[in-house]
Amino acid sequence: MTGTTALAANAPGFLSPSGVEIAFLLVGIATLGAAVVTVTTKQLVHAALWLVMALGGLAVEYLLLTAEFIAWVQVLIYVGSVVVLLLFGLMLTKAPIGRSPDADSANRWPALGVAVAAAAALVWVVVDAFRTTWIDLRGAPQGSTKVSGEILFRHWVLPFEALSVLLLAALVGAIVLSRRKKEER
């Protein structure tokens, strides 16, 4: 082995992953599995609980990317609020607890095709958008609260507020659906 080949063989690179990269891959596979079970289960409460696992896996992925603030936001907002809102909606609307025949549809194959096409389009857009992007290693760490807050509230404030209105609409909808009509009383 020559000196250059020995240096290339010992240098970290794409073909020699670190422990963090291996953990990222394993957690990603587990998160993907939880997401698949979320959309394929016929029990609504189990789907909500598998959603907790999928969203928790995403929080772990954020931690592995050293974005601690975003990981805690993921846990507090999505796992803590959205899933609790979903479970309250299921309970208030008296959704069936066991297997639900209404949760299945004959549109599985078209839905799978749309999901694969949407995933391929998303991967293509992300790869195309970040192909020439470089990270400035001299500035603040990319996962820090300062950088995340600046990006969130400077560039993503409209989608952030739209999401909050959407969650409020879901809460109001659950309350409206849970109220009994006066004739039923």
Side-chain angles (χ1 to χ4, degrees):
M1 227 183 212
T2 64
T4 308
T5 339
L7 285 175
N10 292 331
F14 182 73
L15 296 177
S16 60
S18 67
V20 173
E21 291 168 341
I22 292 170
F24 188 87
L25 180 66
L26 293 175
V27 171
I29 291 169
T31 302
L32 179 65
V36 168
V37 173
T38 299
V39 297
T40 58
T41 186
K42 293 184 181 183
Q43 296 186 6
L44 297 176
V45 176
H46 288 184
L49 295 175
W50 280 107
L51 182 62
V52 169
M53 293 296 298
L55 294 174
L58 286 176
V60 172
E61 297 284 35
Y62 289 133
L63 281 176
L64 291 171
L65 290 172
T66 67
E68 293 88 5
F69 176 70
I70 302 296
W72 283 112
V73 167
Q74 175 79 16
V75 169
L76 292 174
I77 301 299
Y78 289 104
V79 176
S81 300
V82 173
V83 174
V84 168
L85 178 68
L86 179 66
L87 288 172
F88 274 124
L90 288 173
M91 288 186 284
L92 291 173
T93 57
K94 295 180 175 61
I97 298 298
R99 290 189 173 267
S100 175
D102 298 335
D104 198 10
S105 173
N107 298 327
R108 283 186 180 200
W109 292 109
L112 180 64
V114 169
V116 168
L122 182 64
V123 167
W124 180 73
V125 166
V126 168
V127 167
D128 187 51
F130 294 107
R131 181 173 293 149
T132 59
T133 302
W134 296 94
I135 297 173
D136 181 20
L137 297 176
R138 293 169 294 173
Q142 290 296 316
S144 70
T145 307
K146 180 179 186 234
V147 173
S148 300
E150 284 178 0
I151 290 171
L152 180 65
F153 292 114
R154 185 173 295 155
H155 303 291
W156 294 96
V157 71
L158 186 61
F160 186 76
E161 291 301 324
L163 180 63
S164 66
V165 170
L166 179 68
L167 292 173
L168 178 64
L171 178 63
V172 170
I175 291 170
V176 167
L177 289 174
S178 68
R179 295 187 67 196
R180 294 182 185 172
K181 294 181 181 178
K182 290 185 179 181
E183 303 88 48
E184 293 178 10
R185 293 181 187 171

